[in-house]
Amino acid sequence: DQQVKQNSPSLSVQEGRISILNCDYTNSMFDYFLWYKKYPAEGPTFLISISSIKDKNEDGRFTVFLNKSAKHLSLHIVPSQPGDSAVYFCAAPLPRTNFGNEKLTFGTGTRLTIIP
Amino acid sequence: NAGVTQTPKFQVLKTGQSMTLQCAQDMNHNSMYWYRQDPGMGLRLIYYSASEGTTDKGEVPNGYNVSRLNKREFSLRLESAAPSQTSVYFCASSVIMGTDQSPLHFGNGTRLTVT
């Protein structure tokens, strides 16, 4: 049962334009969300996070927006660059059970291709 | 600074064979994890170790065992490999578990094929 969903497997964007990657979730108990970026033959790397008490977090060209009422978050990349071509995963920690640990659950990823 | 190192990078096994995937981190992190990535499935947690001396099951633990050998090393063992275990395996570590201030650091993966 996928609690974090990325419904677009792929996205192509012209260099210099805005890239918008979307993520939907089903569990209103999630405390925070993270985005990871993955290049081929490498492990994912952390990109940006947002706490559920905020609706926006910005880091350079990357901004994540959170809409709690819609259970939706999006990652905006402005301006898009060829080096941004990668697979992007959104993730959230499953609420902990009694004395348990939070475990990250990942979406299925969106492959972003930036067209020069 | 190597970060998270996984060995081997590639492996082909026959059904029923066993093997151990090795993982070491040099960041003095407390928590370590094993994930598998399959097409269309994202990353799924197999096992994790919240701190040295503890291990626990993740989403898909069947067919695997783990050992937290010390604070640096966390190994994943397949006792009797099956074709369904064909996947890319990622080891990760974090300072602690369960906070947005402690993101995961991943190794570069082990691509395993079971025939």
Side-chain angles (χ1 to χ4, degrees):
Chain A
D1 181 26
Q2 200 79 25
Q3 297 195 45
V4 175
K5 300 176 185 179
Q6 294 176 260
N7 294 317
S8 298
S10 63
L11 175 68
S12 294
V13 174
Q14 289 285 137
E15 182 179 358
R17 300 285 188 115
I18 181 171
S19 295
I20 301 175
L21 296 98
N22 294 306
C23 182
D24 297 298
Y25 60 95
T26 58
N27 193 331
S28 57
M29 300 291 288
F30 286 150
D31 284 336
Y32 60 90
F33 302 87
L34 310 99
W35 285 92
Y36 284 82
K37 173 180 178 179
K38 185 184 178 305
Y39 292 120
E42 294 184 11
T45 55
F46 170 70
L47 189 57
I48 191 169
S49 65
I50 186 165
S51 166
S52 61
I53 63 172
K54 296 185 175 181
D55 54 18
K56 177 182 172 181
N57 189 27
E58 196 170 351
D59 183 2
R61 296 186 298 111
F62 302 90
T63 303
V64 57
F65 295 92
L66 176 60
N67 182 334
K68 289 184 282 294
S69 61
K71 295 194 182 71
H72 176 84
L73 64 155
S74 59
L75 174 68
H76 293 214
I77 307 173
V78 183
S80 300
Q81 299 174 353
D84 297 328
S85 294
V87 177
Y88 291 79
F89 293 97
C90 66
L94 294 170
R96 69 181 77 210
T97 55
N98 289 341
F99 304 108
N101 289 291
E102 287 183 340
K103 289 165 273 196
L104 275 187
T105 185
F106 283 81
T108 52
T110 297
R111 181 178 302 277
L112 175 65
T113 302
I114 305 302
I115 304 164
Chain B
N1 190 348
V4 178
T5 303
Q6 291 184 236
T7 55
K9 287 185 169 49
F10 301 95
Q11 184 71 49
V12 179
L13 290 178
K14 293 189 188 313
T15 298
Q17 287 185 317
S18 62
M19 79 161 295
T20 300
L21 282 65
Q22 308 285 356
C23 175
Q25 51 91 8
D26 61 2
M27 296 173 284
N28 201 34
H29 285 174
N30 291 298
S31 302
M32 297 186 73
Y33 316 80
W34 278 103
Y35 283 87
R36 60 179 287 175
Q37 185 192 8
D38 302 293
M41 302 288 286
L43 290 148
R44 293 182 292 168
L45 182 63
I46 305 171
Y47 269 93
Y48 66 95
S49 171
S51 60
E52 186 179 357
T54 71
T55 61
D56 211 341
K57 295 177 180 178
E59 299 172 73
V60 288
N62 291 344
Y64 305 96
N65 284 300
V66 290
S67 295
R68 184 76 183 265
L69 304 167
N70 47 55
K71 191 171 186 181
R72 291 187 63 247
E73 297 172 287
F74 189 40
S75 63
L76 178 72
R77 182 157 178 85
L78 288 71
E79 289 291 351
S80 179
S84 60
Q85 294 178 304
T86 293
S87 187
V88 181
Y89 291 85
F90 289 100
C91 178
S93 68
S94 63
V95 175
I96 58 173
M97 194 167 180
T99 165
D100 61 339
Q101 302 304 309
S102 178
L104 302 182
H105 294 255
F106 285 86
N108 285 334
T110 295
R111 187 174 293 274
L112 175 67
T113 302
V114 183
T115 60

